[in-house]
Each structure stands twice: as structure tokens, then as C-alpha cells.
Amino acid sequence: MGARGSDGLDASGAARSVPAPNELEGRSAWARPGSALAASRGSSVGRLGAGRGRVTLAALMQVLMLDLAPVALAGVPRGGPAPETSTGARGARVRATRVETAAPLQRQAAEKAPRVLLAQGGLDGGAESVGTSDARQRTPVEGGLDGGARVSASDRALGVPLALGGLDGGTRASASDLEPGATPAQGAIDGGLWAADDEPAAGPDAGARFTTQVVGQRAPDVRRITGSAVTLTQEDLERRELNDVHRVLGEVPGVYFREEDGLGLRPNIGLRGANPDRSAKVTLMEDGLLFAPAPYAAPAAYYFPLITRMVGLEVYKGPAAIRFGPQTIGGAINLRTREVPKAPLLGLDVALGSRFQARAHGVAAVGTDTWGLLAEGVFLRDDGFKVLDRGGNTGFERSELMLKGRLSPGDAWRQQAEVKATLSFEDSRETYLGLSPEDFEASPTRRYATTALDRMQWSRLSVTGRWSAQPMPWLTLSAAAYRHSFARVWNRLDRFRRGPGLYELLSRPVRGGLDGQYLQVLRGAEDSAGTDESLVVLNNGRAFVSQGVQLEAVARAATGPVQHELEAGLRFHHDEIRRNHTATGYAVVGGALSRDEVPVAQDALNRALARAGALHLHDTMTWGRLLVSPGLRVELIDTAFSDDLSGRVARSLQAVPLLGVGAVVALPLGLNVFGGVHQGFSPVTPGQSRDVLPERALHAELGLRAPSRRRRLELVGFWSEYSNITGECTGSTGCLDDRINQQFNGGAARIVGLEALASLAVPLPGDVELVPQVTYTLTSARFLSDFTSANPIWGVVRAGDLIPYVPTHQGAARLVVNRGPLSLSVGAEVSGGFIEEAGDGLTQPVVPGRVLVDATASYRLGPFQLFAQGTNLTNQQLMVARRPFGARPLAPLAVQAGLRGQWP
């Protein structure tokens, strides 16, 4: 979205326009109204007065004239209301429409040092700045030292370097959204975990803190999270203009994924070596609420929100993951949607590209301090990159519409209520069928004519409600209710009626004989010879419901020198899946499919449901330079399964307590050491045999990070010791018939690794800024016991064998260059090869490693931004998977260009 030049003050004190250097640094202007940075042209002196900060004239001169981080301002008083001033009381909002006459000293500073900190964002101990213009000429230390003001990711200073993770101060949404009970100095140099660039760390008891709620609609401050966590801001997401979440997560260490369709329609994401199949081992959330179709009963995530409408993405690993469930084995991913603004807003983002790619993304909102309405819609289409024999569409169309309403009455309890409704659709001509080795070598984007009927169609309706209040200064309460309904029908080629399995047929070279005959039929090169050579097309109808209520309370207290934030959360959840699969036979006649004489058969007709109660308790304790957070999670899961075809009925009850503890120690020079231990758990899904055990592991990690505003450094070592690793047989792994949805025990396993992340903002002459970013993950994932499994990706396993889908090496590098309205970003994602079946890594087929290069350029013209983007610039044509059925290709070179604009 577009952005305007910053406002400053001329010699007479009148407002004037100032160019916005580096203003394309991932800027999203869609959320600018209500921004805590928006009224930086207001009087800094007035704001300091509003905060009752004990600030000397010398300290003020240092801030204004010497470009020093305003560390001295962190000592504003913690309690008691401030007297009214020209800008309001402590915590008051400074509106852009109330630009005050600047003092001569301030005007002189604005003229002589345009990048000097002018108490921007509210150094007044929690002030909220509201308006429609932003200070553009800021240094990278801004955004978190503003006395507790939480700043929308889209409202950050445009000159701030956006390192991977966007950790410019741990800023959060608008300042008016300070957690109830927040006191002045919150978010300031609090505990050394908040230290500014190159400043020695103070102790964690240096002031009151935000609540420890680390997931939801607002970006967390990862420096207070006792575990590894990475956040991507709206700027990070918009800079690359990606619609495939695989590509977005490719620059986050510790994240693994398995390609399937090349377009990211059905992501397969794993964290720290957990099985990536259908992202079933990851807790997936949108605004802090579970969004998978059935997280307990059928955790395979066939739905994933459109990443292009998100304003933030958070990845939690280690002890941080125990807050979320049911999956604590790998970690959690939270997606953040746009908040309802406090002023009118209109935005549009359109793009066109190769393969007739198109994107239309619009947002419109009206609002005030007490109420607001927002409507946002996204439409995506792509003709697809695979070429169907005999012609046909292999692309997709997706659309999502989100409506939000907010009510903030401004009463003594600081209550706020919000309702959100989301309607989503997909129509994709996607298949599970790949190619034989020789066909892939000749034409990797080919698709056999026998997949012409393959098509996925689904719809989803989601309604959520939220309420929060602060009945007492030390207590915050919140509640949320949600209901998601998801219905899908996938018509797809599944097997020969009688003959070899498709994976076995396509995973090895076939020269002739009976297998050669079947392969020719599959290609459409020969007609079927009888019903044995007919192809079976499944119509997989599934209906899902996921609903629940979440309650949370956060209490703040002190016991001597120790500050406590005790968080208690309770969730009641119900989800279910109804499967109705039918099988229809088709003969190949003249290269096309024609119904055979066998009647349509019922392939599956069953229902699985889960009812779960989850409790978590955490106490975040700070004492000096130390932060310790012990936690407890208890999952009580009741599951039921009934099969209408076999008459089988099964029920199980799982009661699982999980413990974890993490700690952060603040060191000098803004360094933090963090680490912890927690128990990982993945539940047994309904209908499994009694000998199937839940997945359990003990996870430990130790890391070092330097979360400053100019640079980001994180180095983490992790160790996961599994007492029982599990796998599930799904269609996406090539399972057939009665094995579908079965879980299998895998015994003991060990996954150890190292994650690294580094970024640095380098200012150069000529108003040029370079931001290099590097990530790397080293992983060793091995079984520790011998066993034989019907799971096709395991088979016969020996102790020491490699776990599938975990590359030993992977990483990414990116260089961002900003100069005035121009921004360039060039990056490479590197992944080593991996195996798809357990083994020693020497005798199994290997999916080759790859290097994917992408680039984005953008240029701002007033309220508009022009951009162009290219992916897979070297046009690599590599195999990304052999499962479920045959070799599957990487998406080739693609380019797109577009325009963003925002009003006002």
C-alpha cells in the first residue's frame, strides 16, 4: 500500500512535507490509521509532559541533538494518573490533527538532524499516538523504546531495517491496545531483554511488563519468550509478494516442508524434524485460535489460509510451544489478520503474472476509538504450470472474504469485543499422480491425460468472537469462541482396479512386460484391456466441524524482588470428520477416460470425533537479569470412531499432563541466553488399535540471541529424544485401501540440530541502506530401534536409519537494498537432498537438493507502490517428491507485476 512523505516542521513551526527515505522498506500502509507512530509530528515536549517523565533539559538535548537512544526516559513513574496537559493524560492519545507549535530547540533538531529521535511513538510512558501521518526518517532503534506504546507492524518507521523476524523492538499493535493494567515504562528497557542497540542490559525488574500472552492478534516480543520464536511482520510478507507459505517459511530456521503440488495449495510443514505430512504435527492457529479442519480427530490440514491477507506470521519452537496444543511435538504457527482500524481506510493490491496469474486484494474499513468495521477480500488464480495430455486446465482459483467488527466502549474495565467471519473457497484441478522417471526426465511438467477428472473443491465458513477486559489493574481477562465448518470433495485418480500400485509403478524404470502394459494405459497411450486395467477414481467427500471456547486470565503480582505474571488458560474443544468416499471405474479408450461397467462402490463411510479439555498454567517470573517461566499443560481427550461399512466402533480416553520450563538471562551488550526443557506430545487419532501409542518426546534447547533494532542474531541448539515416534498412513504418502488414516508406532528416535539466524542493517552514503540476512539449519534425525512397519515411508527400519523428509542442511540468504522510494530484495533458498523412505541414505532414492532464487523490486509514487517479482529465476526443473504416486516437479520460473495503493 502506498505511503506519504513524513511530516515535519519548518522554521516557523508550521507543518511541512519531508521526503521519506528508505520508505519502501517493506512498508504496508494499510494499517496506518491509529498508528502509534502516526502523530510523530506532534510536540515531543508535550508528549514528555503528558507522561510526567522526570526528564532533565540535558537529557532532552541528548535525545534531540545527539541522536542517542532515549534510555534515560525509561524511568517514568509506574503508577498514578498524570495531570491533564495539552496532549492529554498519561497514556493519552496524541492526534495528528493537533500539531502543536514546536519549541525552537525541537525545530532546530528537526532541521539539523532529520534522523534524530524526537520522542517518536510516545516516549511518554505508554502514550498512544493516533493520526494519519508517520515519521519516516527514523533510526532503527525506534519502535520498542516508546515507553510501552505498541506499534502496528505496518506502522513502523520506513527507514527501519527489517531483519528476518522483524524484531525491531518487539513492537506490537497500536498503543491503545496496551494490555489492560500496563503501566508506564512497559516495553522500555525492561530487564535487559529490551535493551537498545549497544546499550548495557538492565534487569528484568526495571519496570512493569506486558502480559505474557504470546499469541493472538498482536505480534509478540520474542525476547520475553523462553524458547525459540521467529516473527515475520507485514513488511516481511509484502516485500516478497508470495502466495505460497512454503516459500515464506523457507527463510525460517528449523522449518521443514515437503512439496506436493508446487503451488502451496496443501502445505506440508514440519518443525524440528517432525513429520511434515499435511502439517499434522504442528499446532496451526489464526489469531490464536485453532484453524485446522479437525485438529484432534483428523489433524491433516487440507485447509490453509491465504498468506497474502495476513499481517504477521509467528513460529514457536521449544518451551514456547507448550502453551499451545494439541500438538506440542514440533511447535506452533500462528497467523495474524488485520486489526480493525480507528479511522477510515481503503486499500487495493492487484497483480498479474505469467501463467495468467492474477491477484486482487482489497480492504475497506470505517471506525473510531469506540467502534469499527472492516471488510477484506482476496482472489487468486493461476492456470497452473503442468501440461495435461490432450489439453485441459491444471490451475486453481481461491478466494477469501473476511468481515470484522469491533466495539470498545471505553468503560472503566477497558472492555473490547470483536466478531470475525471468514468465507473461503477453492476450486483446483490438482492430482496426486506424478510421472515415471523416464517421462519426468523428458518433460517434467507433463501430466497424464488419465488425470483429467482430478479436481478439488471446498468451502469453509468460520465465525469467531472475542472479549477482553481489565476488572482490576493487576488482572486481565479474555474469552474467545469459534466455529469452523469445512466441506471438501476431491475427485482424484487412486489406483488400478486390479494391478500394481501407482507408487510402485512410477517409482522405478519400467522396460516392458505386464508393468509396461499398465504404464502405457496410465499414460493413455493404450486402451484398457478389461476391467482389471480400469482406473479407479475416488470421490472423497469429507465434512469437518471444529468449535470451542477459550478462556484466559493473566494476573500480575510481586513477591519481594520477584515480579510474577501468572497466566491460566482453559479450552473446551469439539471437532469431527465425516468421510463419504465413493469409487468409480473408468476404462482408457482412445487416450480418454470412459465409465466402465462396474457399479459405483462405497469406499469409505465413517465418522470420527474428539472432545477435549485443555488447561495450561504458566508463571513468568523476573528477578534482576533473570526471567524464568515454568509451565504445565494438561490435555484430556475423549475420541470416538464409528464405521458404517464394517460396523466397527472404537472409543478412547487420553489424559496427558505435560511439563516445561524455560529461562532467559540478560547479558551485557544486549545479549540474551535462553533455554529450556519441555515434554512433547501428539495424540492418537480416533479409531486406532489399542497398541497405538501417542507420540512422546523430551525436548531441550539452548540458545543465544541479540534482538536489537539494528541487528538480529540467534543461535540455537536443540535435542529431541523420542520415546515413541508415530506416523500416519495418508493418501498424500501413497497409502491405499484399509491402511488409510492408520497410525503406527515407530519406537525410539533422536533428532538434534542447530539453528542460526543473523541480519544486520548497514547504512551507506547517499541514503542507501543494506540489510543482509542469513539463516541456516543443521539436523540429524535417526531412529534408535529396529522395527517393521506397514507405514510405506518406514518399512523395515534398523537402528541408526535416517528419518524421511529431513534434510541435513538447509538455509537461506537475502540482501535488501533501500534507497529513497526504491527497494530491491534478492534471495536464495537452499535445501539439501533428503530421502522419502527410512534407510541409511545410501540405498534409497533421494530427492535432490536445490537452490531457489527470487527477487522483488518496488518503487513508491505518492500513495501508490509499483512492484515486480520473480520466483525460481534460474528456472530449475527438479523433482521435489516421488510421493504419493510418481515424480513431481518444482514450479518453474514465474514473474508478476502489480500496484498497491492506500487511502488516505
Side-chain angles (χ1 to χ4, degrees), residues 588-670:
V588 178
V589 179
L593 296 177
S594 177
R595 279 283 285 113
D596 67 9
E597 300 175 354
V598 179
V600 174
Q602 190 76 47
D603 198 70
L605 187 63
N606 59 60
R607 179 191 182 202
L609 64 86
R611 298 183 181 94
L615 168 71
H616 77 266
L617 297 171
H618 283 79
D619 186 9
T620 300
M621 301 176 287
T622 54
W623 181 25
R625 296 177 178 270
L626 176 65
L627 184 152
V628 179
S629 181
L632 166 69
R633 182 175 191 85
V634 178
E635 291 271 3
L636 185 63
I637 308 169
D638 179 23
T639 66
F641 177 85
S642 61
D643 191 323
D644 293 351
L645 298 183
S646 66
R648 187 171 72 92
V649 176
R651 187 163 186 175
S652 69
L653 180 65
Q654 303 171 68
V656 183
L658 302 170
L659 296 174
V661 61
V664 183
V665 179
L667 303 178
L669 302 178

Side-chain angles (χ1 to χ4, degrees), residues 749-883:
R750 179 180 297 144
I751 302 175
V752 297
L754 181 69
E755 301 167 1
L757 181 156
S759 67
L760 177 66
V762 182
L764 298 177
D767 199 24
V768 176
E769 182 180 66
L770 300 182
V771 187
Q773 305 166 0
V774 179
T775 64
Y776 173 70
T777 305
L778 172 67
T779 314
S780 171
R782 295 182 180 273
F783 292 99
L784 299 181
S785 54
D786 299 344
F787 64 95
T788 300
S789 175
N791 186 350
I793 68 170
W794 287 352
V796 178
V797 175
R798 297 287 178 261
D801 281 354
L802 298 175
I803 296 175
Y805 298 116
V806 182
T808 302
H809 304 279
Q810 64 180 30
R814 179 162 301 279
L815 178 64
V816 179
V817 182
N818 300 306
R819 187 180 187 279
L822 178 65
S823 181
L824 300 175
S825 173
V826 180
E829 177 189 317
V830 182
S831 177
F834 58 85
I835 58 176
E836 295 181 287
E837 300 175 19
D840 56 12
L842 302 175
T843 58
Q844 294 75 31
V846 175
V847 174
R850 62 178 183 267
V851 179
L852 291 180
V853 180
D854 69 83
T856 305
S858 59
Y859 191 87
R860 190 172 300 279
L861 294 170
F864 298 99
Q865 187 180 43
L866 301 172
F867 61 87
Q869 178 243 11
T871 56
N872 192 5
L873 294 180
T874 59
N875 199 28
Q876 293 193 65
Q877 296 185 327
L878 299 175
M879 179 193 306
V880 296
R882 292 183 179 86
R883 291 193 178 272

Side-chain angles (χ1 to χ4, degrees), residues 63 131 139 144 195 250 320 339 355 386 505 545 547 605 639 797-798 870:
V63 173
T139 63
E339 294 190 42
R355 305 195 307 258
K386 297 173 186 174
L505 184 64
V545 170
Q547 58 191 6
L605 187 63
T639 66
V797 175
R798 297 287 178 261

Side-chain angles (χ1 to χ4, degrees), residues 27-38 134 143 146 149-157 168 171-177 217-219 233-235 311 336-339:
R27 169 67 173 168
S28 166
W30 283 22
R32 273 172 38 207
S35 162
L37 296 181
D134 300 359
D146 49 1
R150 292 185 298 175
V151 185
S152 167
S154 61
D155 288 322
R156 295 199 180 106
D168 53 342
T171 55
R172 300 213 264 176
S174 67
S176 62
D177 293 321
Q217 292 179 294
R218 301 175 181 89
T233 67
Q234 186 172 354
E235 291 89 343
V311 299
R336 290 190 294 108
T337 63
R338 192 179 315 277
E339 294 190 42

